[in-house]
Amino acid sequence: MKTFLTMKQLGAGLLGRGGRWLALAACGLFLASCGEEPAKTPGGAAAEAGGGAKKKQIVVGFSQIGAESGWRTANTESIQSEAKKRGIKLLFSDAQGKQENQINALRSFIAQGVDVIAFSPVIVSGWEPVLQEIKKAGIPVVLTDRAVDAKDDTLYATFIGSDFIEEGHRAGEWLAKATGGKAVIAELVGTPGAAPAIDRKKGFEEVLAKNPGMKIIKSQSGDFNRTKGKEVMEAFLKSPEAKQITALYAHNDDMALGAIQAIEEAGLKPGKDIVVVSIDGVRGAFQAMADGKLNCTVECNPLIGPQLFDAVEALLAKKTLPKRTGVMESVYEQSQAKEALPNRKY
Ligand code: GZL
């Protein structure tokens, strides 16, 4: 099992669309593989050494997208359990996938005078006004998981999350290797306008541009959820092009698992008649690989609770953070599934 975080990412920088990412400062990179906790920030230690003076409880407002996938559930659990472990008061809001609910929650955090605001933006656009209001209130912002398209990068202190373009590259490269560069592909896209959907598509298509024998003939959003992934795959398999499809690229495991059901119900063998590659690395994907129905999952680590609260504590200790903090991730295929399954933390 190879663990990725190439020297390119460590050193030069992670440039996604339009240079939105900023250079990744290797020194500031908090490496958190699944569940390992990075060392506490010196500020935390110094604060503890402050002669035991009673510290005011830190209050963090967190706006979560929703509970659309196994990945999201694990992400929420990591954040809530880490806050509890550190004695941090977490005001947690679930937006049920709606940007307006997130914006309302962020405004309520301002009104409650929290110490830090953190959120996972459901889509990349439409955040500047509320981020300006938060900046005016003097509250630092940590973006987790997904990024925003903001020209003014002083509107947030740091972004903690994966490089989705790289994940798209890894999925495409794996498929090119597995099929000898010959595949007629159906694609299940994530939530329209979401950073992972935009960038996973971009990364995958960059690989296809180097492999003329691979092409996408069907592409539609399954909104990162299993039910919709199944419905869209059913429609693909009823379309005139159905018989041409030799591979499925799903932007997350939940949509892939729904599609696998649809492939079986259509009398085909997922993992054989249609090669399936997806992203996240949730436990259900490892089970599907062990059952021979999924061929590859590109890990996208949701367990960023420790990194989030390291960043919170560093910000409150007036430390500067890199604009982007990466996470450790790998690529898994069927041959590794059985052995890896018992150790999966999400
Ligand atoms: C990725 C995350 C995506 C996951 C999906 O960081 O934003 O959203 O890939 C989740 O499973 O719904």
Side-chain angles (χ1 to χ4, degrees), residues 9-332:
Q9 289 172 333
L10 279 164
L14 299 169
L15 289 180
R17 280 177 326 106
R20 185 174 69 249
W21 306 122
L22 286 112
L24 174 73
C27 55
L29 182 68
F30 295 111
L31 295 182
S33 57
C34 295
E36 269 166 43
E37 214 183 287
K40 281 252 178 304
T41 42
E48 272 145 30
K54 187 143 175 47
K55 284 190 295 183
K56 169 181 150 327
Q57 186 182 28
I58 296 172
V59 182
V60 173
F62 188 86
S63 167
Q64 180 60 293
I65 290 174
E68 74 282 0
S69 63
W71 188 98
R72 186 68 53 201
T73 308
N75 180 248
T76 291
E77 202 287 323
S78 172
I79 290 166
Q80 291 178 330
S81 61
E82 190 65 22
K84 192 156 180 259
K85 192 169 144 189
R86 298 190 191 203
I88 289 175
K89 185 172 180 192
L90 184 67
L91 307 182
F92 183 90
S93 142
D94 175 331
Q96 271 107 49
K98 292 189 173 62
Q99 181 177 36
E100 64 268 24
N101 292 346
Q102 289 202 280
I103 292 172
N104 291 338
L106 299 182
R107 288 190 169 124
S108 85
F109 296 149
I110 297 173
Q112 296 176 75
V114 300
D115 297 306
V116 179
I117 288 175
F119 70 108
S120 175
V122 59
I123 55 172
V124 294
S125 56
W127 300 99
E128 306 235 6
V130 69
L131 287 172
Q132 292 291 2
E133 292 166 36
I134 298 172
K135 183 177 179 182
K136 205 155 144 259
I139 302 173
V141 172
V142 177
L143 296 179
T144 65
D145 162 32
R146 297 184 186 178
V148 297
D149 265 352
K151 292 179 197 57
D152 174 4
D153 69 19
T154 65
L155 292 173
Y156 60 91
T158 190
F159 163 74
I160 300 169
S162 307
D163 179 347
F164 302 129
I165 291 182
E166 190 59 27
E167 291 171 350
H169 286 158
R170 290 172 194 165
E173 282 151 11
W174 180 88
L175 189 62
K177 194 160 143 260
T179 60
K182 286 188 186 50
V184 177
I185 304 157
E187 179 186 29
L188 289 171
V189 179
T191 303
I198 296 166
D199 287 351
R200 283 171 183 169
K201 182 172 189 59
K202 178 177 163 60
F204 189 82
E205 288 177 346
E206 285 173 354
V207 174
L208 264 51
K210 293 182 285 183
N211 290 274
M214 295 170 73
K215 62 178 176 172
I216 295 173
I217 61 162
K218 304 296 282 183
S219 179
Q220 191 179 327
S221 174
D223 210 13
F224 283 132
N225 78 65
R226 185 170 183 150
T227 309
K228 195 111 186 277
K230 181 171 188 276
E231 285 165 8
V232 174
M233 192 65 196
E234 282 164 350
F236 287 167
L237 293 170
K238 289 189 184 113
S239 72
E241 303 84 354
K243 290 208 178 341
Q244 299 173 41
I245 299 170
T246 62
L248 168 68
Y249 169 46
H251 289 193
N252 83 330
D253 293 336
D254 287 63
M255 293 191 291
L257 295 172
I260 284 168
Q261 263 179 286
I263 294 169
E264 288 181 309
E265 287 168 10
L268 297 169
K269 288 194 181 60
K272 292 177 184 57
D273 300 331
I274 296 181
V275 174
V276 184
V277 55
S278 66
I279 299 177
D280 275 354
V282 296
R283 198 172 281 114
F286 279 79
Q287 190 55 57
M289 287 197 289
D291 299 340
K293 298 178 182 176
L294 177 71
N295 300 84
C296 171
T297 183
V298 174
E299 188 179 36
C300 176
N301 187 348
L303 308 180
I304 51 179
Q307 288 172 280
L308 167 58
F309 294 108
D310 274 350
V312 165
E313 290 175 352
L315 286 170
L316 295 178
K318 303 286 176 235
K319 297 191 178 324
T320 341
L321 291 176
K323 269 301 179 192
R324 194 191 184 311
T325 307
V327 286
M328 299 278 276
E329 296 169 341
S330 302
V331 177
Y332 293 89

